[in-house]
Every structure is written in structure tokens, then in C-alpha cells.
Amino acid sequence: MASFCRGLLVGAYFDTILKPLNLTVQTVRYRFKLIDLPKPGSGRSFRRIVHFPEKYTVKPLDVTNLAGRDPETGRVVAKGIGGGIKHKYHWVDWKRDGPKEPPPALEEVIEVIDDGCRTGKVALVASGKRLKYILATANMKAGDILKTSRHIPRIPVRASEGDAYPLGALQAGTQVCSVEKYAGTGGFYVHAAGTFATILRHIGDRTIVQLPSKKEFSLSKECMAVVGRVSNIEHSKTPIGSAQRLRWLGYRPRSGLWQRKTGRFGRKIRPLPPVRVIGDPPPKPRPPVVLSLHY
């Protein structure tokens, strides 16, 4: 009732005093700049930016730590990232390229070191005068000789741990890691510490591979894979031990409002999805056609 009476008084004041003065009421419009904030899980990293040079090098690369902020706007995007010990980033060469005819190429392992920017260890290997870092397997050590070949023989090869062969050259049941999605593009699947994929069967020119998520993928037989599982197997079983060590790893504490669900809520058991067939890589965009007038 009070608001209704107040509205009548304001209306009467406008009709008796302001209207005879021919005053117009102008509405002020405020313009806001809408910014689309990126979301975690969109493929962008908000932990660090690695400055890659044009040419491959084994020297540690320069890193810019973002602490969960967007590099352009500076706004906090991932609230669980921050702090942490400074680590050196080693450039891993994901392509294990070898000859298409026997014999295979040989590489020697110089040393196996820890890398703070990834869970698995990396190995420095030498082939001729070239040095490069690769993802180390579980039992890889200094002095090992690794074989790399793209040849697919009629009979499956007896590969050792750390060797790189096409999926079609390995027998069913082999544990592999750093599997290519498309032939010649470099290792795409199975990079985390202690993980491995299993070759289930060969069907024609395709190979069915089961990833650590228990999903099955149908890949080309020419896709390269490294025999063995990724190093640092005890990574997932190592307890953090203290909140301070979690801060050393670069994680900020949660708000305290979120709690994990217990068994009283139940769960849904769903069947695994069907085999996903990875076909040819998507075509590259064509260069633009520039027309000019010349006489």
C-alpha cells in the first residue's frame, strides 16, 4: 500500500510541475563489453606456456607460469592451480620414425631423468650425431639399444621394451604406449605414468587397441607404437602425505564446500561404447587464392 501511494505522489509531481516545463526524461544506456571466458577442458592449458623455438633442441625451454589465469585477460579461469616448484621443460620428440625396410634403426639411451612437467620419466637417446628426448618406458635404463622400424613383416616381430614398431608388426596381447592416432603424426595416446594400451586383434588393415580407459579403438596398422608401459608406475600409488607437498606440486586448496560422494548414492553401470574407428586424418585447409590484375 505504501509503494502504491508513493507511485501516485510521484505521478502527480510529474504532471503538475515537470510537464508544464516541457522537460523530457532521457534514459541512460550503459554499454558492457562481454568477454567470453575460456572454460577448463577446452584444450587450452592454464598452468604454463612453453616457448618452443623453431628448431628442435635438447636444452630446457623457457616457461611462463600462468597460475590458472588466462594469458590475455589475466582473469582466473582454473581456481585449483597456483604456486608450485619451478621445473624445467624438456622437449619430447613424439615421432619415432624409422626405415620402411629392414634392418631397423638403432638408438642408444644416454640417461633417464625425471621431468616435473609430466608424470612419466623422459629418456635422452642418441642416434648418430642427433640427440632427442623420448618418453621412457618402465624398465628403460642407460645403455639400452632401441630399435625403430616402419616395416610390417608377414610374421610378427619379437620386440623388446622401448622398441617402436607399427601396430601391424606386433602380435596380439602386446602392451604398448605412445600410440599414434594417424600414421606419421607422432604419439597421441597413452602418455600418463604407468599406463599402457593392449593390442587385442588384427582385422584386415586395421588393429583393435584397448586404451587404459577400457575403450576400444580401431587404428591403422601403420600407426607407430612403443612396446611397454610408461615409466614411473608407482605414481598413482604414491601418497601426497601433507598439504604442503600438494602446494609444491602446484595445486591450490579447494573452498571446502565440495565433498566427494560416498557409496550411499549408488552408481549406474553402463556398457562400454562400441569400437571407435579412426579413419583418415582431416584434410588440411587449402591456401587462399589471391587474384591480381597484371597486363
Side-chain angles (χ1 to χ4, degrees), residues 82-87 242-251:
I85 302 174
K86 294 183 179 180
H87 297 285
S242 65
Q244 182 61 32
R245 184 169 182 267
L246 198 63
R247 300 303 300 271
W248 294 341
L249 297 177
Y251 297 97

Side-chain angles (χ1 to χ4, degrees), residues 10-184:
V10 171
Y13 176 77
F14 178 79
D15 292 336
T16 56
I17 300 178
L18 297 182
K19 194 172 182 179
L21 298 178
N22 295 326
L23 296 179
T24 58
V25 180
Q26 297 180 356
T27 58
V28 181
R29 296 182 179 179
Y30 297 94
R31 295 183 178 180
F32 297 95
K33 183 178 180 181
L34 299 179
I35 300 177
D36 295 334
L37 294 179
K39 298 180 180 179
S42 60
R44 297 178 58 184
S45 175
F46 301 103
R47 185 175 294 275
R48 65 178 65 89
I49 295 178
V50 183
H51 305 284
F52 291 95
E54 297 181 357
K55 189 177 180 180
Y56 181 83
T57 178
V58 295
K59 296 181 179 179
L61 304 183
D62 295 334
V63 177
T64 301
N65 295 322
L66 298 178
R69 295 181 176 270
D70 184 72
E72 298 179 0
T73 61
R75 296 191 177 189
V76 176
V77 179
K79 295 184 179 181
I81 301 176
I85 302 174
K86 294 183 179 180
H87 297 285
K88 296 180 180 180
Y89 188 92
H90 301 90
W91 192 351
V92 174
D93 189 359
W94 298 108
K95 290 187 178 181
R96 296 288 297 272
D97 197 3
K100 295 184 178 181
E101 296 295 335
L106 302 179
E107 297 174 334
E108 182 180 359
V109 179
I110 305 300
E111 61 176 348
V112 179
I113 61 176
D114 295 331
D115 189 1
C117 297
R118 55 178 49 87
T119 56
K121 297 182 180 181
V122 296
L124 179 64
V125 299
S127 175
K129 296 183 179 180
R130 186 172 184 269
L131 295 174
K132 67 176 182 179
Y133 283 107
I134 64 173
L135 198 63
T137 55
N139 299 319
M140 187 178 294
K141 60 183 182 301
D144 291 349
I145 303 298
L146 309 180
K147 299 178 182 179
T148 305
S149 176
R150 285 189 174 272
H151 177 61
I152 302 179
R154 184 176 60 89
I155 302 176
V157 299
R158 297 181 60 183
S160 302
E161 184 176 328
D163 297 345
Y165 285 95
L167 293 175
L170 302 174
Q171 59 183 353
T174 306
Q175 295 182 358
V176 294
C177 64
S178 190
V179 185
E180 290 183 344
K181 186 176 182 179
Y182 305 108

Side-chain angles (χ1 to χ4, degrees), residues 180-229:
E180 290 183 344
K181 186 176 182 179
Y182 305 108
T185 57
F188 185 81
Y189 296 113
V190 195
H191 293 168
T195 57
F196 62 90
T198 306
I199 298 177
L200 298 182
R201 56 191 178 274
H202 301 286
I203 303 177
D205 59 345
R206 313 291 296 182
T207 299
I208 309 300
V209 179
Q210 186 182 48
L211 297 186
S213 61
K214 304 305 179 183
K215 295 183 179 180
E216 298 180 2
F217 283 71
S218 175
L219 304 173
S220 174
K221 280 190 174 182
E222 298 180 355
C223 293
M224 297 288 291
V226 180
V227 179
R229 61 189 305 182

